Amino acid sequence: AAAQQVVLESVAAAGPLGLDLTTLEARPREVIATLADRLVVRAGRVLPAGAGADDADGELRRHPWMEALRRSPFVPPEPDGVDRRVVRELVRTGLVVQRDGVYFAAEAIREASWRVAQLLGATPEGVTVAQVRTALGNTRKHVLPLLAELDATGVTRRRGDLRIGGPRLPNARKGENDSGS
């Protein structure tokens, strides 16, 4: 009973993200199995049985840092003062993309893809880092990781000093890709 109480208190103290199962020793993991009516394990996290996946996801979407990332998509704020667990969970769920130490809201990546597609529509031979930086209104510090993400995901391809369209470049009309879907 004492071991069960310790586990329940640990889960409650972990907050809306739940307790990371990998941080527990063997004994507390065994105790979790005896609390199946009070605890659930989802995506490697222990949560109270009444907590839905949507609760944690909604909490993440409304996190102040997530909102700050959305307000400044191309010059994103650092995660200073943000719990590392929250940062990891935002990245794990795909709400945030991390590239070269810079964190972007996933929406920023989609918007940047669309804007680069527009630039390439006007100059299909390729665009420079400076042209993308100007179009996004950000700095070299932020545009280089953003372009690295677009290169890595096939939106663009680097050819010397230029970026050309990659196989996943969206159609210049917002929200469409080359296949029309």
Side-chain angles (χ1 to χ4, degrees):
Q4 287 180 330
Q5 189 59 35
V6 168
V7 168
L8 289 169
E9 289 172 3
S10 296
V11 170
L17 295 179
L19 183 65
D20 185 350
L21 194 58
T22 63
T23 63
L24 298 175
E25 300 287 330
R27 177 76 174 129
R29 286 183 189 206
E30 293 169 5
V31 170
I32 290 169
T34 69
L35 295 167
D37 60 326
R38 297 174 72 185
L39 298 175
V40 294
V41 177
R42 264 192 214 103
R45 305 195 79 75
V46 185
L47 300 157
D54 293 339
D55 296 344
D57 189 47
E59 189 79 21
L60 288 170
R61 288 178 190 281
R62 290 185 302 275
H63 191 278
W65 183 56
M66 186 72 223
E67 292 175 4
L69 288 172
R70 286 190 193 106
R71 280 192 306 272
S72 184
F74 305 123
V75 185
E78 299 287 330
D80 297 334
V82 179
D83 186 329
R84 287 181 172 196
R85 295 178 312 145
V86 171
V87 174
R88 278 193 307 269
E89 195 64 13
L90 284 166
V91 172
R92 188 191 70 75
T93 59
L95 294 171
V96 170
V97 175
Q98 186 273 342
R99 178 63 66 173
D100 300 333
V102 179
Y103 297 86
F104 298 95
E107 296 95 338
I109 303 297
R110 286 190 294 276
E111 179 68 17
S113 298
W114 179 75
R115 290 192 188 185
V116 169
Q118 286 185 315
L119 287 173
L120 287 168
T123 54
E125 65 278 0
V127 294
T128 65
V129 169
Q131 288 172 303
V132 175
R133 187 187 70 229
T134 299
L136 299 180
N138 63 2
T139 65
R140 193 168 178 81
K141 171 185 174 181
H142 295 105
V143 78
L144 290 176
L146 190 55
L147 285 171
E149 179 65 19
L150 297 182
D151 292 345
T153 56
V155 172
T156 57
R157 295 280 188 242
R158 184 175 178 183
R159 297 290 183 258
D161 290 337
L162 298 176
R163 292 304 196 291
I164 61 170
R168 299 192 68 206
L169 182 72
N171 190 308
R173 290 179 303 196
K174 193 169 184 174
E176 296 180 19
N177 64 23
D178 289 336
S179 64
S181 58

